[in-house]
Amino acid sequence: MFRLTKVTVLMIYFCFASGTSICGQFKTCSSCISYASERCVWCSEAETKHTRCQPEIFASDQTWCNSSFIYNPKFEKFEEQHVPYQSVDDHGRKTIVTPGHIKIKVRPGVPVDFKMLYKPIEHFPLDVYFLMDNSYTMRQFQNELKSQAINILKELSAFTKNVRLGFGTFVEKPVYPYYDKNRYQKSIPFENVLSLTADISKLNNTVRQIDFGSNFDDQEAGLDALMQVMTCTKEIGWRTEARRIIVLFTDAPYHSMGDGKMIGILKPNDMECHLKDNIYDDTATTQDYPSVSQINKVATERNFKIIFATIERVSEVYKELSNAILGSETAILIKKEEGESNIVPIIKTAYLEAESVVRLVSDFPSSVNVKYSPDCNEIEKKNCRSTHLNPIVEINVTIVAGSCLDGNSSRVFKISPHGLHDIDVGVELEVDCQCECEKVKKEKSPVCFNAAYLLCGVCICDSDSKESNVAEDLESPHCRYHGQYVCGRCICKPGYSGDTCEYDDNLCMSNCKKGTCYMGKCNCQEGWSPPNCMCPVSNKDCIAPWSDENEVCFGNGECKCGECSCDKVSGKNESYFGTFCDLCTDCAAKYCKKYEDYVYCNYLNEKAFCDQSFLSGKDTVVKIVNSTEIINDNIQKATWCAKLLDNGTSIVFKYHHEDNKLFLTIQKEKQIPPKANLYIVVGSVISAIVLIGLLTLIGWKVLTDIYDQREYRKVEEAAKAAGFDVSNPCYENPTTEFPNPSYRPTK
């Protein structure tokens, strides 16, 4: 029982692994094992019926492939040289990294690691070159350098007895408008004042004799001079085996590629040495300033450590520059009046940093991913520093090949501490991208109908015959350049068909709605009619699911290509409308009458019972809700209906058609007709009669008064006209006036 369960679990896991893996897409052994994103294994068994390339988990499944036919390469690692620390090689150079050489064989995507050890040695050769901005504003720092030259050599000699110093100056390209010879002193883009030497007196005397130069703009030719210092190996005197440090002193920003256009220079910098008598020759006025990437390229390839010693005002500019140049950094100069000069500490710190902190560089291609632990190329290098307590830095190197190397051969790459020449770990890397069974062709096999070779279980055509090999003639003239000619027949590209790929199936695909285009014609799916497979054979899409008689378009139209084309309503200036031509102005009453018995059945019984009795086989959705819910059911297309019952009450419902379904919403409460109140009716009638009588009397009275007034005015006017006194002789004024005898008006 346990074994059966285990087998079942394994089968389920294999099914899941094969379903999510893309190993099965590879058709050759080399492409199978070369896939880096997943570990795939190849089965070369000739009689297998399974997919040959599968995830590595299948290697343990004997039902998939016999283990003797499975190719699953493993990595190999050999250390060929392990040179002890501080030993001298055949050229007299001291080794400070191990191992010296290691050979690795690995398949793509599989990581392999090894330990690399680094230990600085005493009295390592050191070359330091001072590149000074020679403009007038830098005079104070030049004087400091002059006075501190002896101290610099003394400090560095405490760490190495093999140190040499050199000195050079720069200002600007002598071209207007960056420099005006009529207004300023000389302006030299670069002058090698003193090549590298161990004679400190030469440095002292040379620095003291320097004259200042000047330029017109704020930016200067620091990068131009820096390129000459790095590329003029012989003129400067750089030693191959020494650490190389360049200290660039300046108080101004720099010109870079493109700034030469302002002075009419369009030719890009060639990254070559152009010193003549230790001065940058006329080439300085014919080629542009170097770009930052060019400076970084030369500094990286030739292992230079660059220190930009500058003032606070432009420090941010040079910090950004140092971020773009491998192994470079920025230090801020301190003026004498602001404190003790820091030129010596800057150089001392740079040497100690270069000597004790390891920073690795390599020449691996982009397809090979190299990781270091700890990552000594990060800004924070806590675990990459050699100290007196822990002089040896141990770094774990992990290599992952993302793809095959060019030519599928082994190549030697180097990992070395930045700033050191010819001191490195040589990594001979071989990426296993070819199966052993592919290296030797077998005889023609009956498995391949005696027409092809059997290679790793796959048939490969004879490349010596007239027929092409599998990997040849991707666009063969035999196949009209639309397919691959393999073993005597055309394998057409997607979109082409025919014995010679003569049919362009893309031409009819846009019109082949329900079918596939092959041999230039539409091959329709079942139920669709030619020539373009756009119309269904049957008229079922034109029959409404709620139609009782299964009439096409309810008898009110014609089915054309699966859609109803509606007729006009007889005797009216309108046409039927709707998906099935089932709607018109007077159709609502018809459907209310049609559905009311089915609604009444659902009101009393279960829907399943009513479906069998009334709408057998029809797709309907019935909801029974209260009166509030049916009113709030805001379906614009729904039609209101009511079924009158024998007791005078009504069942209210709504219907609408949607997605080929009939939707019925039935009100739970019956609609009861309102009852009349006799007292209200009688009272209302009597009140109306009385009100009408009063209004009639009032109207008669108003009209009579108006008529009498009109007749009186006529009689009065006639009497006046005849000379009669129409006033009332019996009329007396109702008011009488009595004078006050004692009243005396005041003046």
Side-chain angles (χ1 to χ4, degrees), residues 682-692:
V682 173
S684 299
V685 171
I686 294 174
S687 299
I689 293 172
V690 172
L691 180 61
I692 293 171

Side-chain angles (χ1 to χ4, degrees), residues 702-720 726:
V702 171
L703 292 175
T704 301
D705 289 345
I706 293 172
Y707 177 77
D708 289 345
Q709 287 179 2
R710 190 178 296 166
E711 290 300 318
Y712 175 76
R713 282 196 295 270
K714 287 181 181 181
V715 173
E716 188 179 31
E717 290 174 357
K720 285 181 179 180
V726 294

Side-chain angles (χ1 to χ4, degrees), residues 544 546 553-554 556 576-584 587 591 657:
W546 55 87
C553 303
F554 270 90
N556 300 325
Y576 292 97
F577 60 93
T579 306
F580 302 101
C581 302
D582 55 332
L583 303 176
C584 65
C587 292
Y591 288 115
H657 302 121

Side-chain angles (χ1 to χ4, degrees), residues 269-379:
N269 194 285
D270 60 6
M271 298 187 291
E272 298 291 339
C273 177
H274 296 284
L275 289 188
K276 184 178 181 180
D277 296 330
N278 284 324
I279 295 178
Y280 196 177
D281 62 17
D282 293 340
T283 311
T285 61
T286 60
Q287 69 175 12
D288 199 359
Y289 301 94
S291 66
V292 175
S293 60
Q294 288 178 318
I295 295 293
N296 180 57
K297 174 179 171 59
V298 176
T300 302
E301 291 176 351
R302 306 194 182 194
N303 293 301
F304 283 100
K305 181 175 181 62
I306 303 171
I307 303 169
F308 297 102
T310 183
I311 62 175
E312 181 73 33
R313 180 174 62 87
V314 293
S315 61
E316 291 300 323
V317 175
Y318 284 94
K319 284 180 181 178
E320 292 183 8
L321 178 61
S322 61
N323 290 335
I325 301 174
L326 181 65
S328 66
E329 55 187 77
T330 301
I332 299 176
L333 290 170
I334 300 175
K335 294 182 180 180
K336 192 170 184 179
E337 60 268 18
E338 296 175 354
E340 186 178 351
S341 173
N342 64 336
I343 292 179
V344 175
I346 287 174
I347 300 170
K348 176 182 175 181
T349 302
Y351 175 77
L352 292 176
E353 185 77 9
E355 190 261 350
S356 62
V357 178
V358 60
R359 186 169 188 174
L360 302 178
V361 293
S362 66
D363 59 353
F364 284 96
S366 59
S367 61
V368 179
N369 185 21
V370 182
K371 292 184 178 180
Y372 307 105
S373 179
D375 189 354
C376 297
N377 292 338
E378 293 181 347
I379 297 176

Side-chain angles (χ1 to χ4, degrees), residues 490-543:
C490 286
I491 307 298
C492 299
K493 294 192 298 185
Y496 294 91
S497 57
D499 293 338
T500 59
C501 306
E502 67 270 25
Y503 294 104
D504 186 353
D505 296 334
N506 296 309
L507 296 178
C508 64
M509 277 304 296
S510 59
N511 297 323
C512 205
K513 184 177 179 182
K514 292 292 183 180
T516 55
C517 191
Y518 184 71
M519 306 285 281
K521 297 180 180 179
C522 277
N523 295 323
C524 299
Q525 298 176 7
E526 186 178 355
W528 295 87
S529 60
N532 53 14
C533 310
M534 296 182 70
C535 297
V537 175
S538 69
N539 293 331
K540 63 178 183 178
D541 291 338
C542 294
I543 300 174

